[in-house]
Amino acid sequence: PKFRKAGVHESFEVKGTDARTRKLNAKWAQFWVPKIGWVKYRDSRSIDGKICATRIVNEGGKWFACIGVKTDSQALAPSSLALGVDRGVAVAMACSDGKQYHATSLAALDQKVGRARKVLSRRKRGSSRYRKQRLVVARLLGKAARIRRDWQHKATTSICRTYGTVVIEDLRTQNMTSAGRGKRGLNRSILNVGWHSIELMLAYKLEERGGTLIKINPAYTSQTCSACGTIDKQSRESQARFSCTSCGHTMNADHNAAINILRQGMPSVDGGGCAPVEARTVTPRIAA
């Protein structure tokens, strides 16, 4: 047990027996909070089912209602289609079917955060002006997190609605972003995309639809030719172009990696029809 600290984990729970909601219009509704009364909130999602618990949370100076409901929905029949997904920085998610998902740009918001933090560094720690400026920084960071989560939810839901099996690389994001100052820019880019959050969302969304998430060893997926199976790091000409030094096969580098990821996780599935040979007949060989 720890002593409670003001400003940290500001939240409280409302029991399901006391929780009540009522609709006001298409965008707004009200939630009953004991000893406070009816509180107006933005109705971003319809509540389907019986409310079992609700937690009111303060994040960055804004209050959010996390409403948990119990439903009797039937499990959906999983799709028989499989997809390979390559997570990156320039292209957040490149799929084996050729589709690419680009993360929402947060460059303008990052500049505002940088300026706000610079102002915060000039404030005297513990003063009222310091607390006010710290709240400004928290609100900007919270806005960036909500924008990132919104894009992640939309992209992962689009994938899980179509495919029943998704294959990704087993990336240790925490270890990859724990490097020193030399890789600070790359670490920030990885965290802005949210590789681990994407993995968690794919996992639970596939599970509730009866699908499966498969994680594979990421070794050589970006250096292997999806046509002939040759492994050569020289084939990766640039961040976006892959040209095999053995057979001359040329395609987008992220798309090529996604096909290799799919084949490693699902050997019996063809990589989106982009390879001239069957996946089960490809024998990887390392170029001299």
Side-chain angles (χ1 to χ4, degrees):
K2 296 181 180 179
F3 287 101
R4 186 183 178 281
K5 186 177 181 180
V8 179
H9 302 303
E10 294 281 2
S11 65
F12 63 92
E13 187 173 345
V14 179
K15 295 181 179 180
T17 55
D18 298 328
R20 288 180 289 166
T21 61
R22 64 185 182 186
K23 196 81 171 177
L24 295 179
N25 51 46
K27 294 183 178 180
W28 294 92
Q30 285 183 324
F31 180 81
W32 175 262
V33 180
K35 300 182 180 181
I36 296 178
W38 290 102
V39 178
K40 187 178 179 182
Y41 72 95
R42 181 66 179 264
D43 191 16
S44 59
R45 293 184 61 183
S46 59
I47 300 175
D48 300 325
K50 181 180 179 182
I51 300 177
C52 55
T54 302
R55 178 164 290 276
I56 311 299
V57 183
N58 186 351
E59 292 183 0
K62 293 179 179 286
W63 291 92
F64 298 88
C66 305
I67 304 175
V69 298
K70 183 181 295 184
T71 61
D72 297 329
S73 59
Q74 298 179 355
L76 301 175
S79 173
S80 59
L81 300 177
L83 182 73
V85 177
D86 177 51
R87 289 167 291 176
V89 175
V91 179
M93 288 192 294
C95 304
S96 57
D97 60 359
K99 190 173 182 179
Q100 295 182 344
Y101 293 88
H102 296 268
T104 304
S105 177
L106 299 175
L109 198 56
D110 288 341
Q111 291 180 356
K112 292 183 180 180
V113 172
R115 289 194 293 266
R117 282 175 168 169
K118 190 173 183 179
V119 174
L120 179 64
S121 66
R122 300 193 182 107
R123 300 286 186 260
K124 183 178 180 180
R125 187 179 295 271
S127 65
S128 60
R129 297 181 70 199
Y130 180 87
R131 288 194 297 270
K132 291 180 181 179
Q133 188 61 27
R134 188 176 181 182
L135 182 60
V136 172
V137 175
R139 286 175 176 173
L140 291 174
L141 292 175
K143 183 177 181 180
R146 291 191 294 272
I147 293 174
R148 187 183 302 111
R149 282 199 301 266
D150 176 73
W151 169 82
Q152 291 172 346
H153 275 296
K154 290 178 179 178
T156 53
T157 300
S158 175
I159 292 175
C160 296
R161 283 177 177 174
T162 306
Y163 296 92
T165 303
V166 177
V167 185
I168 62 174
E169 295 174 309
D170 188 11
L171 301 176
R172 305 295 181 180
T173 308
Q174 184 175 1
N175 296 341
M176 296 173 65
T177 56
S178 61
R181 297 174 61 89
K183 295 178 60 179
R184 185 169 54 183
L186 177 61
N187 297 343
R188 187 183 298 112
S189 300
I190 293 175
L191 295 175
N192 281 338
V193 174
W195 287 357
H196 186 63
S197 300
I198 291 174
E199 178 181 329
L200 294 179
M201 291 180 185
L202 287 173
Y204 84 80
K205 290 180 182 181
L206 285 169
E207 182 180 0
E208 69 183 4
R209 289 171 171 80
T212 306
L213 179 67
I214 300 175
K215 294 190 288 186
I216 62 154
N217 186 355
Y220 304 113
T221 55
S222 62
Q223 301 177 12
T224 304
C225 177
S226 60
C228 66
T230 301
I231 301 176
D232 188 2
K233 63 180 181 180
Q234 301 298 329
S235 298
R236 186 73 180 261
E237 293 184 349
S238 64
Q239 180 66 31
R241 180 179 173 84
F242 183 92
S243 181
C244 182
T245 57
S246 178
C247 67
H249 179 66
T250 303
M251 67 184 309
N252 180 271
D254 296 323
H255 187 193
N256 177 79
I259 294 175
N260 293 328
I261 292 171
L262 175 61
R263 286 177 170 172
Q264 187 171 337
M266 303 284 292
S268 60
V269 178
D270 187 19
C274 299
V277 293
E278 292 295 331
R280 63 177 65 89
T281 63
V282 174
T283 304
R285 61 181 186 277
I286 300 178

